[in-house]
Amino acid sequence: MRTVTATAAAVTAALAAGAASVAAGRLASDAALKAAPGRPLPTEPRLTVHGTAAGQITLTRDLAALRPGRYGLAGDGSHAVVGPVLGTAEHDADTVVRRLERVTHGTLAAGDRAWFTPNLYVGNPGTALDLEYADVEVPGELGPLPAWFLPGSRPTWIIAVHGLGATREHAMNFMAPLRRRHVPVLALAYRGDVGAPPSPDGLHHFGETEWRDLDAAVRYALDHGARQVVLLGWSTGATMALRTAALSGVRERIAGLVLDSPVLSWETTLRALATARRTPGALLPLAVRAAQGRAGLHADSDVHTGGLYRPAVPTLIFHGPDDVVAPWRLSRRLADTHPRLVALHTVEGAPHGAMWNADPDHYEEILRRFMTPLV
């Protein structure tokens, strides 16, 4: 009898431990599957504001605070734009002084916590950039998708789609230079975004289902005067662009792809985000399996062997080795495998989804050269 009791207790303990592990894996997968639009990814550190002065801001010394380029600095209820580290300013061992270009809204005081974001602009193209635009609705399979449309005389439209932790405001970084070249721009909000229909299961799918919203935007553009389109995507938005170019029924009208920090392995990205949430290494495989089960995701091997990441049109990739969310080596492999169609522009020092921020002028020149024969 004692043996039976002991065995039952051991089985019960094992089942409890297994259930706890499954629950932990599910919780770890939330880092990616429930990433909130407009909120920082867990890989993005919170920095403490130590003070501000005329044209400068002092932040906690951190690798993030030392990044090259221009960024938004977001807090709870505040947004500012910061420029490069000021080499002439007085620093100490624990702080970094950067140029403070403007405070968009709210205030930044000593002790506030804030994080870097690629978004230099908030609001809409009218209020933020003083650009003519229209609020339009793209008919999507789940319902109307809000989008901003900036008119232009070119027959080729750019359709911009954001990625993890971002919103369509990300596209405003590019709107002014594209407007100067008379290129129409459609910036899309898709399922799960504010104002758009929710995903049926409330989860992100790393582009596996979201690409159909981008496909709807392509069809909208063609129905409203575009002769062809170029898809510009960041992060999982880049994944959506690749899938749309491979699967859309109107893919012959897609003239090119511009991919910034593309997520080419959702399993690797999920592991990175879960690790940033301090998930123990032993639970990472459970997080991957939980994501597959909850969101119905295909294994990475299925995606690559299926040819979804084999561009059939000219493709420009901006990516760099400092991206800890989506590995740069996968973009390099894609470019090496398809050298006639894919050009990789390596960006040093930039975090995920922020290749433009590290060196805007150079980025825009590379983009201009790529776009010239397409528009």
Side-chain angles (χ1 to χ4, degrees):
M1 191 69 176
R2 291 179 181 175
T3 301
V4 173
T5 303
T7 301
V11 169
T12 301
L15 289 174
S21 296
V22 170
R26 182 184 177 92
L27 182 63
S29 70
D30 283 350
L33 298 183
K34 293 187 175 182
R39 298 297 298 177
L41 296 176
T43 50
E44 191 62 39
R46 271 59 165 183
L47 305 172
T48 300
V49 176
H50 291 264
T52 60
Q56 64 184 47
I57 184 168
T58 303
L59 301 168
T60 302
R61 179 172 289 273
D62 184 275
L63 289 177
L66 293 167
R67 292 169 182 161
R70 303 172 66 215
Y71 299 86
L73 184 68
D76 292 321
S78 65
H79 179 273
V81 177
V82 298
V85 174
L86 296 175
T88 57
E90 191 172 320
H91 303 257
D92 62 37
D94 299 318
T95 60
V96 173
V97 181
R98 298 186 71 108
R99 187 172 71 224
L100 179 61
E101 297 187 6
R102 65 178 183 272
V103 177
T104 311
H105 61 79
T107 59
L108 291 169
D112 287 350
R113 302 278 281 172
W115 58 90
F116 278 5
T117 168
N119 293 27
L120 263 63
Y121 305 99
V122 294
N124 61 55
T127 59
L129 298 166
D130 196 27
L131 293 177
E132 176 191 354
Y133 83 103
D135 286 304
V136 301
E137 287 189 341
V138 172
E141 68 173 2
L142 300 180
L145 304 168
W148 294 322
F149 174 63
L150 280 73
S153 59
R154 303 280 187 177
T156 300
W157 291 23
I158 282 188
I159 303 179
V161 58
H162 70 83
L164 286 170
T167 69
R168 58 179 162 157
E169 290 176 324
H170 197 167
M172 288 197 286
N173 288 351
F174 296 84
M175 287 182 177
L178 290 172
R179 182 61 174 270
R180 289 193 293 269
R181 302 196 66 226
H182 310 289
V183 178
V185 179
L186 187 68
L188 180 70
Y190 54 88
R191 62 189 68 188
D193 286 345
V194 175
S199 173
D201 59 8
L203 303 175
H204 293 289
H205 291 247
F206 291 93
E208 283 198 16
T209 57
E210 293 86 354
W211 76 269
R212 293 194 282 270
D213 293 345
L214 181 53
D215 181 47
V218 173
R219 294 173 187 273
Y220 176 93
L222 298 176
D223 288 343
H224 289 78
R227 186 180 305 164
Q228 58 184 10
V229 301
V230 172
L231 306 182
L232 166 59
W234 295 265
S235 180
T236 50
T239 314
M240 292 165 60
L242 282 164
R243 285 180 169 271
T244 303
L247 299 172
S248 173
V250 291
R251 56 186 175 274
E252 73 279 357
R253 307 288 289 277
I254 299 172
L257 304 176
V258 180
L259 312 177
D260 188 310
S261 314
V263 172
L264 300 177
S265 166
W266 71 262
E267 294 178 17
T268 302
T269 293
L270 187 141
R271 285 171 177 266
L273 295 176
T275 298
R277 278 195 171 180
R278 304 183 186 278
T279 301
L283 293 180
L284 294 178
L286 292 173
V288 170
R289 289 200 291 272
Q292 282 186 292
R294 298 169 70 191
L297 299 171
H298 292 87
D300 282 341
S301 58
D302 296 336
V303 172
H304 289 279
T305 56
L308 296 181
Y309 296 162
R310 297 176 186 172
V313 295
T315 300
L316 174 63
I317 302 178
F318 292 97
H319 213 164
D322 296 280
D323 187 339
V324 298
V325 175
W328 168 72
R329 58 180 171 79
L330 298 180
S331 289
R332 184 177 60 187
R333 182 188 303 167
L334 187 65
D336 290 343
T337 305
H338 306 281
R340 294 185 178 182
L341 283 177
V342 181
L344 171 62
H345 177 62
T346 301
V347 182
E348 302 284 346
H352 182 68
M355 302 298 118
W356 174 86
N357 301 79
D359 190 348
D361 291 340
H362 193 203
Y363 190 114
E364 290 174 14
E365 176 59 19
I366 297 294
L367 180 60
R368 183 193 68 79
R369 293 177 188 175
F370 176 78
M371 289 292 301
T372 295
L374 302 179
V375 300

